[in-house]
Amino acid sequence: MIRRPPRSTHCISSAASDVYKRQLKVRESKAVGVFVDKLSKHPVSSYEDIANKMEEGNKNRTIGETLMNQTSSRAHTIITVEFKQIDLSGSAKSEKFSMINLVDLAGSEKAGQTGATGDRLKEGCAINKSLTVLGQVISTLADKACGKAKKEVVPYRDSVLTRILQNALGGNSKTIMICALSPSSTNYEETLSTLRYAERAKKIENKAVVNESPQERMIRELKEENEKLRKMLMGMSGTGVRDDPETKRKMEDLQEELNANMSAMQEMQKTWQEKVEEAKKKAEAEGPIARFDKTKPYICNLHEDLQLNGKIVHNIADNQIHVGRKDGNPKPEIVLGGIGIKNNHAVFRRAENGDVYLAPFDTAAAENIFVNGNEIKEAVKLCHNDRVIFGSNVVFLFQYPGREAESKTPPEQEIDWEMAQKEKMNITEKVQKELQEMLQRKRNEESEKKIKEVEAKYMNEKKKTEGEMNKLKYEYEKKLKEFQEKEVTSTAKVVQLEDTKKELEDLKSKLTDMQQAIEQNELEMKLEIENEARLEERRKRNLAEKQQTLLSLGHKIDEAQMLAKDLGRNIRFEPRIITRYPESLHMHPVQVLKECTFDLVIHVVNGEDGTSYMWTEDKFTDRLYMMKDMYNTFVQFGELTLPEKEYDPFWDENEPIFIGMGFYMLKGLAYMIDNPVDICLIGNLYEHTGGKLYMNVVPTDAEGSREIAQEQMPESPQDLINTQMDLLVEIKEIKDLPETCCRDVFCEYKFYLDDNKYETGAVRGRSKNAVFNYAKQHTVAVVTENFLNYLLNDYLCVKVYGYIDTVDIGRPTVLKRAESEKMSQKMKAIQKKSDGGCCIF
């Protein structure tokens, strides 16, 4: 009889086949493996049924008569018995599968001894070939087991026999080979070959394991471990020392481990249907937000990465849904995090007619809620496809199925995260656009003015030249007429006529030269105008690139501003496109303007220390990451002790702001004449800052006296060469400075080839009119040709700097969440009183 464990059943089937005789094909599939196509399987229920099927297969076996045996096997016979054990434990079911291959190999034959001919000879050849391949397979597997021929491929596919028995030979199996030997001396070679066969087969090593799934194996191991734990608990409870603390602790640990194993085993034994039902019940228990209903209004997220759009969805199904952080009171149904998100941030309300309204929870949160780019102060009605931004970068798209017609967004408009952020910056962009248009108009006017000046200059020269040409032409024609009317009467008259003719030729040559000069001047004027147009176009492209970068940087600036507000820091971040002028301080003003470039910086106004400084884009990005780390610590613990200034991401060294520069013409000094002037300052983007610089450069003698003897005055600039020259630079004052950067003003200049920068003392305090009364003597030991050219053609450039006029309210040392709101309100009040802005346009 077949024994089986309790609560288990067996499914047994058998099959028999003759290799090489039956016209059945051997196939292979990923699910079944190697199998014989169309081979019939017969279910059996006892040993007797198996024996009957084996007998039936034996009767159908192919045999034939040869000289050596009347019932010689003409093919290898394989009888396969499949066992499937099904274990029923509660509602769970596990299966184990095994297969027994009973193989009767036909013996090798020699054609001379068997006398085989015709079909018998072909059968013998097929048997010998399969046995040879079987020997090669066994030899290769034995070598691999001994550590040899590791890379050699086992030739299973060279024979049908080895193909069918692949798993039995080198797979997950146990193999027993019974060798039949002949005692006759005539079969000595066959007997020796068979023994070698068996010796090789003995070296094959297979590691057979039970055919069960990893999950079933884990369940079985958990059951065995649970049984051991139960026995240990029973043994410890029977010792009578349960009151011992150490024993009690061990028993608790064993019981805890047993319970954990039971829970894990129960979870593994659950069917798919049971897991699906549990998931549905869990979703229902989580509340209405978890059950997403596309027929009701909802919000879905918009992300920078388009693949993450719509991954977070919240239904607006209830009459009132709160938005905020997880520790908000009342507890929000929609939990958010990030910069600018308050504990209680906003409320969605649904009216009786189905309209959905969004309102800020309080005035503090109103600054960080935007609908379609507009900041909201009170409840607003939401329409289909409206964009909602909470904080700095939490963006949602409002959807209202059935009310698509109410949408204010054009159907062709592509809605994404970038579009929503650009809407938020819409007001700033408008202001910047108006400012840029104003600057562009002024620059165009300046460019047109320059072109008109050039045209007027050349037109005047052209008129003057044409007047002289007409005068010469008139004289030429007059003399030519007189020459033609005169008669040649004497030698003296002939000489006179020759002189007149020569004068006419000279006049004609002068006319030709003048005509060529006019054409050359027209060509130069055209080239200068074209060059100015190219420079202006290059400046426009450079400015447009910086403006585009400014738009992409706007989101980060908003984040930094929100971080400063939430942390209660009185710090403002203002993006600026500034003009970078050449470093040389003695260039021609036209050359300076032509070589200037535009740069994007972040102007930081620190109201805590009364300082300001400029950050590049890279430096600002690095500081922003540090600010976020500080903010996360503040949100996590509710308070934050500020680090020293050197480690504070909001702080930096105070830097002066460039106000403008003026150019002093040096040409008069080549004639030892001073030229006291008031110079209009050129500021950012070629704008006149409104300030005027009063200065002079005075030639003096060696003792510094302004009175120079008449004999020392040069008749021409060339007389100064190889002489000593003393110059006194006087910077008296600056008037009408911008109000926002008129604190601690100072000037800076360089003289000729001197690498040193000379500075006036800073006028301390706030003053639109800064008086310096600065004077500095410069001595040129030997005037050279280069220095003389410098005086005749170049200018002395004076740059003016100042500091932003801010209110110093002091730097906090410890930030608390409750106090940060008060600090934010204080900052708003201070900013309303201050002028705001910056001297950088």
Side-chain angles (χ1 to χ4, degrees):
M1 61 178 295
I2 298 178
R3 297 180 180 179
R4 63 184 182 187
R7 301 184 59 79
S8 65
T9 60
H10 291 83
C11 297
I12 306 173
S13 59
S14 65
S17 63
D18 270 6
V19 181
Y20 305 119
K21 184 64 179 177
R22 305 296 181 188
Q23 299 298 318
L24 300 178
K25 295 183 178 181
V26 178
R27 302 185 183 277
E28 183 178 4
S29 71
K30 292 182 179 180
V32 181
V34 180
F35 65 97
V36 181
D37 192 21
K38 297 182 181 180
L39 178 64
S40 61
K41 295 183 180 181
H42 306 277
V44 293
S45 58
S46 63
Y47 285 122
E48 294 180 357
D49 292 343
I50 296 175
N52 292 335
K53 288 299 178 183
M54 290 176 65
E55 184 65 27
E56 182 179 346
N58 192 41
K59 290 180 180 179
N60 294 328
R61 183 179 182 181
T62 303
I63 58 175
E65 183 179 359
T66 65
L67 294 179
M68 295 182 66
N69 193 347
Q70 291 183 351
T71 57
S72 175
S73 300
R74 307 317 297 162
H76 308 299
T77 302
I78 302 175
I79 297 176
T80 304
V81 182
E82 294 180 357
F83 289 88
K84 184 182 291 185
Q85 179 180 317
I86 303 173
D87 186 12
L88 301 174
S89 179
S91 59
K93 181 177 71 172
S94 62
E95 296 182 356
K96 295 179 183 178
F97 176 78
S98 66
M99 182 185 296
I100 298 176
N101 290 313
L102 302 175
V103 185
D104 181 10
L105 296 175
S108 60
E109 297 181 353
K110 292 182 178 180
Q113 294 178 353
T114 59
T117 57
D119 291 340
R120 295 292 176 265
L121 181 60
K122 293 180 180 179
E123 292 169 355
C125 291
I127 291 170
N128 290 341
K129 179 183 177 182
S130 63
L131 291 174
T132 302
V133 174
L134 179 60
Q136 293 173 354
V137 169
I138 292 174
S139 179
T140 303
L141 291 173
D143 290 341
K144 284 181 174 291
C146 296
K148 304 176 183 178
K150 292 183 178 180
K151 297 183 179 180
E152 188 173 348
V153 179
V154 182
Y156 291 117
R157 295 177 177 271
D158 292 354
S159 169
V160 176
L161 173 65
T162 54
R163 187 75 175 126
I164 295 174
L165 299 178
Q166 177 175 345
N167 290 332
L169 293 170
N172 181 24
S173 64
K174 290 183 178 181
T175 304
I176 299 174
M177 178 180 287
I178 301 174
C179 300
L181 304 177
S182 173
S184 173
S185 61
T186 57
N187 297 324
Y188 172 79
E189 292 182 3
E190 286 79 1
T191 300
L192 186 60
S193 175
T194 302
L195 291 174
R196 291 195 183 113
Y197 225 92
E199 180 64 23
R200 298 291 291 174
K202 285 168 59 179
K203 295 180 180 180
I204 300 175
E205 295 181 2
N206 288 340
K207 296 181 181 180
V209 296
V210 177
N211 286 325
E212 58 182 344
S213 66
Q215 182 174 349
E216 292 170 353
R217 183 176 67 254
M218 189 175 294
I219 292 174
R220 175 176 55 78
E221 291 174 353
L222 285 173
K223 286 181 179 179
E224 294 173 356
E225 187 176 354
N226 287 347
E227 190 63 30
K228 292 180 182 178
L229 291 172
R230 287 194 184 94
K231 291 180 179 179
M232 291 173 66
L233 283 172
M234 291 176 63
M236 295 179 70
S237 60
T239 58
V241 290
R242 297 185 60 181
D243 295 336
D244 181 28
E246 184 66 22
T247 305
K248 188 175 182 181
R249 186 184 61 78
K250 290 183 179 180
M251 291 181 64
E252 290 176 354
D253 293 343
L254 291 173
Q255 185 64 45
E256 184 179 350
E257 187 176 356
L258 178 62
N259 295 336
N261 289 346
M262 292 295 294
S263 300
M265 190 168 62
Q266 291 174 2
E267 183 66 25
M268 292 180 184
Q269 290 176 341
K270 288 179 181 178
T271 62
W272 176 256
Q273 289 77 9
E274 291 174 344
K275 292 181 180 180
V276 171
E277 291 298 326
E278 287 184 1
K280 289 181 179 179
K281 291 179 181 179
K282 184 178 180 180
E284 292 175 358
E286 287 179 352
I289 298 297
R291 299 193 302 272
F292 172 52
D293 187 355
K294 287 189 176 182
T295 62
K296 296 179 181 179
Y298 63 92
I299 57 173
C300 59
N301 74 301
L302 295 178
H303 197 271
E304 289 180 275
D305 188 347
L306 297 179
Q307 294 183 349
L308 299 179
N309 282 347
K311 300 300 182 183
I312 302 175
V313 183
H314 298 282
N315 269 119
I316 312 299
D318 293 349
N319 294 333
Q320 185 167 286
I321 295 178
H322 289 81
V323 180
R325 293 186 177 273
K326 61 182 179 180
D327 52 353
N329 185 21
K331 187 174 180 61
E333 290 81 5
I334 300 178
V335 179
L336 301 178
I339 300 171
I341 302 298
K342 309 297 181 183
N343 288 344
N344 294 100
H345 200 82
V347 181
F348 286 97
R349 293 189 177 93
R350 193 173 183 188
E352 295 181 356
N353 60 357
D355 292 343
V356 177
Y357 291 85
L358 175 63
F361 188 83
D362 52 26
T363 55
E367 299 178 354
N368 298 324
I369 303 176
F370 300 85
V371 176
N372 297 335
N374 299 314
E375 184 179 325
I376 66 172
K377 300 296 184 183
E378 55 186 11
V380 296
K381 179 184 175 182
L382 297 179
C383 298
H384 184 73
N385 278 344
D386 279 354
R387 282 74 59 198
V388 181
I389 300 179
F390 297 114
S392 64
N393 56 2
V394 180
V395 185
F396 285 98
L397 177 66
F398 177 73
Q399 300 281 279
Y400 203 145
R403 294 195 179 186
E404 289 82 358
E406 297 180 2
S407 175
K408 300 176 183 177
T409 306
E412 66 277 4
Q413 177 69 52
E414 183 179 357
I415 302 175
D416 55 14
W417 185 89
E418 185 177 358
M419 178 258 194
Q421 290 291 349
K422 283 186 177 180
E423 279 184 329
K424 182 180 173 183
M425 298 173 61
N426 190 31
I427 298 176
T428 305
E429 289 181 20
K430 286 182 179 178
V431 173
Q432 290 182 352
K433 187 177 180 181
E434 292 174 359
L435 177 61
Q436 291 162 8
E437 289 177 353
M438 180 185 68
L439 296 177
Q440 188 64 39
R441 285 196 301 270
K442 290 189 176 183
R443 288 168 55 215
N444 290 340
E445 291 173 2
E446 190 73 21
S447 179
E448 291 176 1
K449 183 179 178 181
K450 289 180 182 178
I451 293 173
K452 287 180 180 179
E453 289 177 355
V454 173
E455 290 178 346
K457 175 182 175 182
Y458 284 106
M459 288 301 295
N460 291 334
E461 291 181 357
K462 184 178 179 182
K463 287 180 181 180
K464 182 179 178 181
T465 307
E466 286 179 348
E468 293 178 357
M469 282 183 62
N470 292 332
K471 184 178 178 181
L472 290 172
K473 188 177 180 181
Y474 174 75
E475 292 179 0
Y476 173 77
E477 290 176 350
K478 181 180 177 181
K479 290 188 176 184
L480 181 63
K481 188 176 180 182
E482 291 177 355
F483 175 76
Q484 292 174 349
E485 290 177 353
K486 289 181 179 180
E487 297 179 356
V488 182
T489 57
S490 64
T491 305
K493 288 185 177 181
V494 171
V495 174
Q496 184 180 2
L497 288 174
E498 289 292 335
D499 294 339
T500 304
K501 185 176 180 182
K502 187 177 180 181
E503 291 178 3
L504 289 173
E505 290 176 354
D506 292 340
L507 289 173
K508 185 177 180 181
S509 176
K510 288 183 179 179
L511 287 172
T512 303
D513 294 341
M514 286 187 176
Q515 184 66 35
Q516 291 177 353
I518 291 174
E519 294 176 355
Q520 182 66 25
N521 289 339
E522 289 179 349
L523 179 61
E524 290 177 357
M525 180 184 70
K526 183 179 179 181
L527 291 175
E528 187 171 347
I529 292 174
E530 290 178 354
N531 186 45
E532 181 65 27
R534 283 195 299 270
L535 289 173
E536 184 65 21
E537 184 63 28
R538 187 189 69 181
R539 288 191 288 267
K540 285 181 181 179
R541 287 197 303 269
N542 181 244
L543 181 60
E545 291 174 0
K546 298 303 179 184
Q547 289 169 352
Q548 186 64 32
T549 306
L550 176 60
L551 294 179
S552 62
L553 195 63
H555 172 63
K556 292 182 179 179
I557 296 173
D558 288 345
E559 277 189 330
Q561 201 67 62
M562 287 184 182
L563 286 169
K565 286 182 180 179
D566 288 352
L567 292 171
R569 307 296 298 273
N570 183 19
I571 296 174
R572 299 198 312 272
F573 300 91
E574 300 171 351
R576 291 287 180 265
I577 296 177
I578 64 172
T579 306
R580 295 289 187 191
Y581 294 104
E583 286 298 322
S584 176
L585 294 180
H586 48 80
M587 295 178 65
H588 194 283
V590 176
Q591 185 181 1
V592 169
L593 295 178
K594 285 182 178 180
E595 294 186 10
C596 69
T597 58
F598 298 101
D599 200 2
L600 175 63
V601 297
I602 311 300
H603 181 216
V604 185
V605 181
N606 189 335
E608 297 173 353
D609 296 340
T611 59
S612 65
Y613 25 88
M614 297 287 189
W615 286 348
T616 63
E617 183 181 355
D618 292 339
K619 186 173 183 178
F620 170 73
T621 303
D622 292 340
R623 291 297 184 96
L624 181 60
Y625 287 121
M626 298 170 64
M627 295 175 197
K628 290 180 179 179
D629 291 340
M630 178 181 285
Y631 177 79
N632 292 334
T633 304
F634 174 69
V635 171
Q636 182 177 0
F637 298 104
E639 68 176 28
L640 176 68
T641 301
L642 290 185
E644 296 295 330
K645 285 184 177 181
E646 292 76 9
Y647 304 102
D648 187 353
F650 291 93
W651 185 87
D652 210 340
E653 293 287 347
N654 194 18
E655 295 178 357
I657 303 300
F658 172 73
I659 298 176
M661 59 184 175
F663 293 90
Y664 180 88
M665 182 181 290
L666 301 172
K667 191 172 184 178
L669 299 175
Y671 300 91
M672 300 296 285
I673 301 173
D674 65 330
N675 181 28
V677 292
D678 53 336
I679 305 170
C680 294
L681 299 180
I682 299 175
N684 193 43
L685 297 178
Y686 313 154
E687 288 222 356
H688 176 50
T689 63
K692 286 189 176 182
L693 173 66
Y694 292 85
M695 68 171 294
N696 192 13
V697 181
V698 184
T700 66
D701 58 16
E703 286 74 24
S705 174
R706 296 170 181 261
E707 299 296 333
I708 302 176
Q710 185 65 31
E711 59 273 10
Q712 295 181 359
M713 297 295 291
E715 294 182 3
S716 69
Q718 297 296 326
D719 296 340
L720 296 175
I721 295 178
N722 295 326
T723 65
Q724 178 177 315
M725 190 172 190
D726 297 283
L727 299 173
L728 180 65
V729 177
E730 295 179 338
I731 300 177
K732 296 182 179 180
E733 61 177 336
I734 298 178
K735 292 184 177 180
D736 302 327
L737 285 171
E739 293 184 358
T740 52
C741 22
C742 61
R743 183 167 62 86
D744 299 345
V745 180
F746 66 94
C747 299
E748 176 185 279
Y749 71 94
K750 288 178 66 176
F751 184 78
Y752 190 41
L753 301 179
D754 194 349
D755 293 332
N756 296 324
K757 291 183 180 180
Y758 297 93
E759 292 185 4
T760 65
V763 179
R764 299 299 176 186
R766 184 178 184 273
S767 175
K768 292 181 62 177
N769 301 317
V771 180
F772 302 105
N773 291 327
Y774 171 84
K776 174 66 178 177
Q777 184 84 16
H778 296 274
T779 300
V780 180
V782 178
V783 176
T784 62
E785 191 73 33
N786 291 335
F787 180 73
L788 191 61
N789 290 333
Y790 167 66
L791 295 180
L792 291 172
N793 301 313
D794 286 348
Y795 292 73
L796 180 65
C797 177
V798 179
K799 291 187 176 182
V800 183
Y801 295 88
Y803 290 87
I804 294 294
D805 189 27
T806 58
V807 180
D808 186 356
I809 65 171
R811 181 173 179 267
T813 56
V814 178
L815 296 178
K816 294 185 178 180
R817 188 175 299 175
E819 295 177 357
S820 63
E821 299 295 334
K822 297 180 182 178
M823 183 65 71
S824 297
Q825 299 298 329
K826 184 178 180 181
M827 288 166 52
K828 292 178 190 175
I830 291 173
Q831 290 176 7
K832 286 182 179 178
K833 292 180 181 179
S834 63
D835 294 331
C838 175
C839 65
I840 299 179
F841 299 93

